[in-house]
Amino acid sequence: MRRLQRPSASLPTLRPGGKGARQADVYVAQRNDVPLRERTFPDHWNNPDVRGALYSFHGRVCAYCLCALPANDPGDVEHFRPKAIYWWMAYELKNYLLSCSLCNRVYKKERFPLPDGVAHCTYENRQDVDRQTFLLLDPVGDPVEDWLFFDFEDPICPVVAAAGVPDDQRLRVDKTIAFFGLNKNVRRQRSRYETVTEAMELLKVVQTGSEDKKADLQRMASRFQPFGIAVRQMLFRRAPELLPGPEEEILGLLADIFLDLREASTKLQEDPNDRENRRLRDESYWALAVLWRHPPPPVSPDLIEACLDTEGTKDAVSRYYAQL
C-alpha cells in the first residue's frame, strides 16, 4: 500500500441526478421491501468519469498490492466497504479504490473484518460509519507509508510492520498484510523484488555520476508507479536527496495519461467506432480534468494547466473540467 489522496470531486455519474445517484435513491426507497440479496447493483462506477477520477490518484497501480494493472485489465473499482453490507455506499466515490482482480476478487471479495464485539453499521446508523473501527488499513485514511515497510535488504523484499507502528495499530497492520497475501503470492513477490533490485542497481549508476539515469530512478520512486513506495523507502535510506517531490510525481503521472490519450486518439482517427479506445480517451480526459480541478496538495492547479497548454489539450479538457 501507499498513501492515496482521493479528490473531493463531484462526478456527473455519482452526484444527484446521475445514474449512480439515481440507483442509490431507488435502493433507499426500497430498503424495507427488497431483500439485500436481490439487489443487482448496476456497475455505474465503471463509467469514464468515475474511472478517470480513480486513475487521477492511483495511476494504473493496485491500491493494495501495488502491482501494475496489466494492459488488458483496467482494474476493478473496489468498494472498500463492501456493497453487499454497506449497500447505501455503492455509488459514493469516497468508498472506491482501484484494485487488481486478485486483491479484489480472491482476497477481499465481500469481506470487511471488524474487531471482536464491533458490528457493521446499518443504514439506520449510517452517520456512524466514519467513526467505525475496522481491521484493514485504509490507504486514504491511514499513514500506511509509516506503518508498512518493504524490507529491501531481504532477498524476497517482504512487507512487514514498520518499527514505529503504534501498539494499538499493530493488529491492523498484521491483519492487512495477511489478508491480502502480500507475502504469499510468489509472482507478485518476485515482481516487487525485481523492481526494487532494478532500482538499487540504477542507484549505483546514478551515484557514479550518470545524470541521465537520475530521472529514470526518480520515476520508479513515484507513488504512481508499481511498487514505487518500496523504491521510495529504499531511496530514503540510501540517497534521500534523490527522492522525487510531489510535483515530479504528478508530472510523471501526467506523462502517462498524455501517452494514453495520444495513442487512443490516433486509433480513433483510424476507426471512430473503436469503443475500447474511445473509452480510454474519455477516461484520460476525465483524469486530467480531475487533476486540474483537484490536484493533490501541495501541487498547484497552475502546474496542471501549464502542462495541458504545453500538450495542446487544455481546450478539450476544459469541457470535462466544466462538468466537475
Side-chain angles (χ1 to χ4, degrees):
M1 285 187 181
R2 82 284 200 197
R3 185 68 186 270
L4 296 171
Q5 293 180 277
R6 183 185 288 116
S8 56
S10 176
L11 303 173
T13 293
L14 303 178
R15 64 175 173 241
K19 288 183 178 180
R22 292 201 306 270
Q23 186 63 57
D25 291 342
V26 168
Y27 287 148
V28 170
Q30 295 177 340
R31 67 186 183 276
N32 296 323
D33 304 318
V34 180
L36 279 176
R37 64 180 179 274
E38 295 182 9
R39 293 189 176 130
T40 56
F41 296 107
D43 65 343
H44 300 308
W45 48 78
N46 278 320
N47 286 358
D49 58 330
V50 181
R51 280 196 166 272
L54 289 170
Y55 294 136
S56 78
F57 70 100
H58 283 77
R60 293 186 180 270
V61 174
C62 176
Y64 298 122
C65 71
L66 303 184
C67 282
L69 300 176
N72 63 341
D73 181 0
D76 291 347
V77 178
E78 203 279 308
H79 292 69
F80 184 64
R81 290 180 171 82
K83 58 186 179 296
I85 304 171
Y86 302 86
W87 54 267
W88 64 93
M89 299 181 71
Y91 299 102
E92 295 185 5
L93 180 62
K94 70 177 185 179
N95 195 35
Y96 294 161
L97 293 170
L98 187 64
S99 168
C100 69
S101 59
L102 179 65
C103 284
N104 184 34
R105 304 181 199 183
V106 176
Y107 289 116
K108 190 162 184 287
K109 297 183 279 192
E110 296 292 350
R111 297 185 294 161
F112 192 64
L114 305 179
D116 292 341
V118 177
H120 291 288
C121 286
T122 65
Y123 181 77
E124 285 66 33
N125 67 345
R126 62 193 180 280
Q127 69 277 0
D128 297 329
V129 73
D130 290 334
R131 296 189 294 273
Q132 182 185 51
T133 56
F134 47 87
L135 291 180
L136 296 181
L137 295 182
D138 177 3
V140 175
D142 289 315
V144 293
E145 295 178 15
D146 295 330
W147 292 355
L148 294 172
F149 178 63
F150 296 81
D151 189 356
F152 56 88
E153 301 285 2
D154 190 296
I156 60 173
C157 193
V159 186
V160 298
V165 176
D167 291 341
D168 62 346
Q169 298 297 329
R170 182 60 184 257
L171 175 62
R172 296 181 65 214
V173 171
D174 292 341
K175 177 70 174 180
T176 299
I177 293 171
F179 186 90
F180 288 106
L182 298 182
N183 296 323
K184 180 180 179 181
N185 183 280
V186 293
R187 295 183 66 193
R188 186 166 60 185
Q189 200 165 23
R190 185 191 318 131
S191 182
R192 185 170 66 219
Y193 168 74
E194 289 174 349
T195 299
V196 176
T197 299
E198 179 184 352
M200 289 193 289
E201 292 301 314
L202 197 55
L203 174 60
K204 293 177 183 177
V205 174
V206 172
Q207 289 177 326
T208 63
S210 180
E211 282 291 318
D212 60 326
K213 295 297 183 181
K214 179 179 175 180
D216 295 338
L217 178 59
Q218 291 183 319
R219 181 171 175 79
M220 291 184 70
S222 166
R223 292 180 178 86
F224 302 110
Q225 293 298 313
F227 309 114
I229 191 60
V231 177
R232 287 185 68 86
Q233 290 184 348
M234 182 274 293
L235 281 182
F236 180 78
R237 285 159 178 78
R238 295 192 173 184
E241 70 279 3
L242 294 176
L243 284 169
E247 290 190 353
E248 291 170 305
E249 290 184 292
I250 287 296
L251 290 174
L253 175 61
L254 288 172
D256 289 340
I257 299 172
F258 286 143
L259 179 60
D260 283 344
L261 180 58
R262 287 194 298 269
E263 293 183 345
S265 298
T266 298
K267 292 295 184 182
L268 285 169
Q269 290 176 355
E270 300 170 1
D271 179 6
N273 297 317
D274 185 336
R275 295 177 61 185
E276 180 180 352
N277 281 300
R278 185 186 305 121
R279 184 176 187 85
L280 177 58
R281 179 201 63 188
D282 291 346
E283 290 172 350
S284 299
Y285 276 136
W286 279 113
L288 293 169
V290 170
L291 281 168
W292 186 9
R293 175 75 78 176
H294 304 281
V299 176
S300 164
D302 293 340
L303 174 66
I304 310 298
E305 184 174 0
C307 292
L308 295 174
D309 257 334
T310 300
E311 185 69 18
T313 58
K314 181 179 174 181
D315 288 344
V317 175
S318 293
R319 295 192 286 273
Y320 296 79
Y321 180 92
Q323 299 177 61
L324 294 172

